[in-house]
Amino acid sequence: MPNIKLIILGSIVVVLLGVLGVGGYFLYGKVEKQHEENVNKLADFGTKVIPIKGGPEAVTVGTEGQLQLPPDIAEKKLSPTEKIIIALSREKEQLASELTIANEKVERLERELLALRAYRTENERYAPLPLQEERIRATEVLTDFFNSSSDATRFNSFQKEVMALAAASVYLDILREYRLSFDESEKDIIVHEHLPAFGFCFGDGIIFVPNSKTEERNLLAYYKSGDETLINDRLARDLNEITAPCLKPLNERINAML
């Protein structure tokens, strides 16, 4: 008899375990399905399900560091997770707003930078050149002129070079004295029209000044650097004698422009 009871009891246990196993399987599936539905609903809960009022400034932090919702939301009906989602949604909106403002500021600064660059370019276009650059420009223009002019064929290479340098030095003296009196077009007139005449006058006299190749080199070095120690007293006197008559008509032309 005891064996029969044990057999019956064991059968009942097996049947119960089978029932529980089948029921647990279906229960697990139902729980999983419900969990998925909850996750999908919770994904956009902060922006669609729960209305956000009061703006991002309404979110505060409690004494223990927890996020606190504004009073117009029924906190007792929300879970802690839902409250965090609402706060994060507001923070996202605030960050998006700040990003928009920052982008607008960057665009404004870029426009200002372009305007400043254009202003600088325009000023540099019309601003007077430094004096030494003016001298270099005049030397280049006059050198090209004397090398290409049929009227200058009577001069050798040294004489043409020193003519251009001497005329450019005189031009530098004029700019130092009357710098603010001439615009760019007037300076072009001086360089292209008045200085060549001075150069021809100077060239006619410089033919008789240097007595050697050494003195020619010294004269070129003097006009390039302005260092008076490079020429002796005789050369200095001779230069003054041939320069003074050429300066008189040039000064008359400059005064007429003024």
Side-chain angles (χ1 to χ4, degrees):
M1 291 297 290
N3 291 333
I4 295 174
K5 290 181 179 181
L6 289 175
I7 292 171
I8 294 172
L9 182 60
S11 298
I12 294 172
V13 170
V14 171
V15 171
L16 288 175
L17 289 175
V19 172
L20 290 175
V22 173
Y25 172 80
F26 285 105
L27 179 60
Y28 175 78
K30 185 177 181 180
V31 170
E32 282 293 310
K33 183 178 181 181
Q34 185 63 42
H35 176 69
E36 291 179 1
E37 292 178 357
N38 290 341
V39 169
N40 291 333
K41 291 179 180 180
L42 199 59
D44 56 356
F45 177 84
T47 57
K48 293 183 179 179
V49 178
I50 304 299
I52 299 176
K53 301 178 181 179
E57 67 279 359
V59 179
T60 59
V61 179
T63 57
E64 297 181 358
Q66 74 277 17
L67 293 174
Q68 295 179 334
L69 300 174
D72 56 348
I73 293 180
E75 296 187 28
K76 62 182 180 179
K77 296 181 180 180
L78 302 178
S79 68
T81 302
E82 293 169 345
K83 295 177 182 179
I84 292 176
I85 290 176
I86 293 174
L88 292 177
S89 298
R90 288 173 173 164
E91 184 177 352
K92 178 182 177 181
E93 290 181 357
Q94 181 178 3
L95 291 175
S97 176
E98 292 176 356
L99 179 60
T100 300
I101 295 173
N103 287 335
E104 291 175 352
K105 183 177 181 180
V106 170
E107 292 177 358
R108 185 179 71 253
L109 292 175
E110 288 178 346
R111 290 194 298 269
E112 292 177 358
L113 179 60
L114 290 175
L116 288 173
R117 287 176 175 172
Y119 177 77
R120 185 186 67 179
T121 301
E122 192 70 10
N123 278 345
E124 289 177 350
R125 178 181 176 186
Y126 295 104
L129 293 173
L131 288 178
Q132 288 303 319
E133 290 187 21
E134 291 279 12
R135 184 177 187 274
I136 292 172
R137 181 175 76 95
T139 302
E140 293 174 348
V141 170
L142 293 167
T143 299
D144 291 340
F145 174 80
F146 291 133
N147 286 334
S148 60
S149 173
S150 58
D151 294 332
T153 53
R154 67 181 184 272
F155 302 111
N156 60 32
S157 59
F158 156 75
Q159 292 162 351
K160 292 177 182 179
E161 184 176 5
V162 76
M163 287 160 58
L165 290 170
S169 296
V170 170
Y171 176 60
L172 198 64
D173 293 336
I174 293 172
L175 291 183
R176 287 195 180 106
E177 186 173 359
Y178 305 107
R179 183 170 178 78
L180 299 179
S181 301
F182 302 111
D183 57 25
E184 294 303 313
S185 61
E186 290 173 328
K187 286 191 286 188
D188 285 340
I189 292 175
I190 295 174
V191 172
H192 290 88
E193 298 182 16
H194 299 331
L195 291 183
F198 170 87
F200 278 118
C201 176
F202 181 85
D204 289 335
I206 199 65
I207 296 175
F208 308 103
V209 174
N211 295 326
S212 65
K213 292 293 183 181
T214 299
E215 290 188 347
E216 288 183 359
R217 289 194 295 270
N218 290 341
L219 283 172
L220 289 175
Y222 162 70
Y223 277 111
K224 289 178 180 178
S225 66
D227 185 0
E228 295 181 355
T229 62
L230 295 173
I231 57 176
N232 56 41
D233 293 339
R234 184 192 64 80
L235 285 175
R237 288 194 302 271
D238 290 346
L239 288 178
N240 288 333
E241 288 179 4
I242 66 172
T243 301
C246 300
L247 283 176
K248 183 178 179 180
L250 176 62
N251 288 333
E252 291 174 355
R253 297 189 184 99
I254 299 300
N255 290 330
M257 292 179 64
L258 293 173

